[in-house]
Amino acid sequence: MKTMKKYSLKCPYCGSPAVCRPASTVYGADTIDRKSYLYICSRWPACDAYVSAHKRDRRPMGTMADRRLRRKRIQAHEALKRLQKERHMDKWAAYVWLQAKLGLDESQAHIGMFSEQMCEQVISLCRSPVRPGGGMAA
Ligand SMILES: [Zn+2]
């Protein structure tokens, strides 16, 4: 059997191979974008791990995550977005800030690749008080 799959992912939770399937497989009637795809653990729904794929080339958007980790990543994204708003930063500037805070380079600083622990770190970093004026504390 020939497959069009270019990216082969293994589920980090159970070690089963992931399959690229329409997002509606998981979201059902709640699917927002019918053309979107997910990499889903082949043991789904017994194993609840998946990750979104880029629409153009179906490259995975990060590492596969279960429900807990997905929730954490959403929270981390929201925290970063809030910080970006509060400090009137562009999206790239917020990521540069995050890279510096976490000591990561550009290729590593993607919330879609973060573990629960790293998401927690992002959330608490974003919560740290903002100094008005942005200058150094006297
Ligand atoms: Zn799995």
Side-chain angles (χ1 to χ4, degrees):
M1 202 178 90
K2 219 180 163 190
T3 62
M4 62 167 289
K5 198 168 54 182
K6 273 192 289 182
Y7 302 94
S8 68
L9 270 72
K10 218 175 208 180
C11 174
Y13 299 94
C14 72
S16 303
V19 282
C20 192
R21 299 171 73 181
S24 57
T25 309
V26 170
Y27 303 137
D30 295 330
T31 310
I32 295 162
D33 185 348
R34 292 182 175 281
K35 285 179 188 149
S36 60
Y37 277 78
L38 301 171
Y39 285 89
I40 308 168
C41 175
S42 54
R43 283 187 59 236
W44 186 89
C47 176
D48 174 41
Y50 56 84
V51 65
S52 302
H54 286 280
K55 221 184 274 179
R56 203 171 40 181
D57 57 3
R58 295 205 188 159
R59 188 162 48 89
M61 288 191 187
T63 59
M64 290 170 70
D66 65 1
R67 191 177 300 270
R68 265 180 65 139
L69 180 53
R70 285 196 301 271
R71 194 178 305 139
K72 280 273 174 257
R73 286 176 178 175
I74 290 168
Q75 289 170 350
H77 265 125
E78 284 170 351
L80 191 62
K81 232 184 246 172
R82 216 161 31 234
L83 174 112
Q84 191 190 322
K85 239 186 188 168
E86 280 169 8
R87 300 193 185 182
H88 310 288
M89 291 163 125
D90 287 327
K91 194 180 175 188
W92 68 266
Y95 274 90
V96 167
W97 174 86
L98 189 65
Q99 284 166 29
K101 287 283 183 189
L102 297 174
L104 300 173
D105 66 35
E106 210 183 321
S107 67
Q108 298 168 315
H110 295 290
I111 290 171
M113 287 163 56
F114 287 5
S115 63
E116 278 187 49
Q117 207 188 351
M118 285 172 82
C119 290
E120 292 280 8
Q121 222 178 323
V122 174
I123 294 162
S124 69
L125 279 170
C126 291
R127 271 195 199 129
S128 54
V130 181
R131 285 204 179 86
M136 296 246 289

